[in-house]
Amino acid sequence: MTFRVFNSMIGPKSRFQEAIKLRRSYISGLGDPPVVVALDDDPDALEYIFNVLHHRQERLPEVDQPLMVAVAAICDKYELHSALQPVADRVFLPLGEIASEGYGDWLFIAYVFGYEDLFSKVSQEVILSNQETISTISVYTPQKVTEMLIAKRTLIVSQLVERLISIGYERMIKPGEPRPTVKCKATYSGDTMCEFLQFGHFVGTLASGRLLENIPNKILCGLS
């Protein structure tokens, strides 16, 4: 099994210091100490990956989300996708499909292992969530992915704000006007009272954690 990144680091044509020392020790034959390549990666994730590479399935621990993120980061860094894909398919993907939180991390895991459906699911959750969720996207996630999500969310929010402001001014009660009594029933079609109830329900749905931070309170009052 050949790994391009490691071959670049210590291969026969590498110009990295570790590779030069390794070739020099072979040529001199003086019994120089073995070359040590220092890795600054998560040790638990490295141990997990080494056990996978050596087919020591019995040594694989139960995974949690931080470990999966660290494994995915090392996989992406050293291009170990083909070696780790079977384990990710068997262990990581089922957990991602039932995940109800931590979408910022799952976005990165799905990106690394090519889980298109999971990536689409978590992308939607990130886009429709509040600004804090955007900030929880894993630091390992490529900038192009993060920028795409932020741009899409910004566009959606701006379109929604523009539309709600327009509706709010149309529905806002003028000074001195009494607030109408809601009389909406299923048989009413196009009734003004019914529209008030529908808009209020719509805003209430959005207010349950999504996309309302940029809408003025006076507009929301006009909609409710």
Side-chain angles (χ1 to χ4, degrees), residues 40-96:
D40 58 354
D41 305 294
D42 183 280
D44 292 331
L46 280 174
E47 181 180 0
Y48 188 95
I49 291 172
F50 290 152
N51 283 327
V52 171
L53 296 179
H54 289 279
H55 305 287
R56 295 172 177 171
Q57 301 294 322
E58 73 282 357
R59 296 190 180 184
L60 296 180
E62 293 289 332
V63 296
D64 55 17
Q65 201 155 298
L67 179 59
M68 285 186 283
V69 171
V71 169
I74 295 174
C75 174
D76 197 46
K77 178 179 178 180
Y78 297 115
E79 300 180 356
L80 304 176
H81 302 79
S82 60
L84 298 179
Q85 192 74 51
V87 172
D89 293 347
R90 177 170 56 85
V91 180
F92 297 5
L93 180 57
L95 295 176

Side-chain angles (χ1 to χ4, degrees), residues 16-144:
F16 281 90
Q17 190 64 32
E18 294 84 358
I20 294 174
K21 290 181 179 179
L22 183 61
R23 290 195 295 269
R24 185 178 300 159
S25 67
Y26 286 151
I27 294 172
S28 68
L30 298 178
D32 293 337
V35 176
V36 176
V37 179
L39 303 177
D40 58 354
D41 305 294
D42 183 280
D44 292 331
L46 280 174
E47 181 180 0
Y48 188 95
I49 291 172
F50 290 152
N51 283 327
V52 171
L53 296 179
H54 289 279
H55 305 287
R56 295 172 177 171
Q57 301 294 322
E58 73 282 357
R59 296 190 180 184
L60 296 180
E62 293 289 332
V63 296
D64 55 17
Q65 201 155 298
L67 179 59
M68 285 186 283
V69 171
V71 169
I74 295 174
C75 174
D76 197 46
K77 178 179 178 180
Y78 297 115
E79 300 180 356
L80 304 176
H81 302 79
S82 60
L84 298 179
Q85 192 74 51
V87 172
D89 293 347
R90 177 170 56 85
V91 180
F92 297 5
L93 180 57
L95 295 176
E97 290 176 337
I98 62 174
S100 59
E101 58 183 13
Y103 293 114
D105 287 340
W106 282 112
L107 184 76
F108 175 64
I109 295 171
Y111 170 81
V112 170
F113 293 108
Y115 300 137
E116 295 183 5
D117 291 342
L118 180 59
F119 186 86
S120 177
K121 168 190 170 183
V122 297
S123 294
Q124 181 177 349
E125 290 294 334
V126 170
I127 290 171
L128 295 180
S129 297
N130 54 38
Q131 190 65 38
E132 292 182 0
T133 302
I134 289 284
S135 67
T136 64
I137 295 177
S138 171
V139 295
Y140 299 112
T141 303
Q143 186 176 0
K144 63 180 181 180

Side-chain angles (χ1 to χ4, degrees), residues 141-194:
T141 303
Q143 186 176 0
K144 63 180 181 180
V145 176
T146 305
E147 290 178 348
M148 178 270 292
L149 292 176
I150 293 176
K152 193 165 186 179
R153 184 179 187 279
T154 300
L155 176 62
I156 291 174
V157 170
S158 65
Q159 291 176 335
L160 178 61
V161 170
E162 181 180 350
R163 179 58 181 150
L164 288 182
I165 289 176
S166 174
I167 295 173
Y169 280 121
E170 291 175 4
R171 303 297 173 187
M172 193 175 295
I173 300 172
K174 306 299 186 295
E177 292 183 353
R179 179 175 290 275
T181 303
V182 175
K183 302 178 181 180
C184 182
K185 296 181 180 179
T187 55
Y188 289 3
S189 177
D191 187 272
T192 302
M193 305 305 111
C194 186

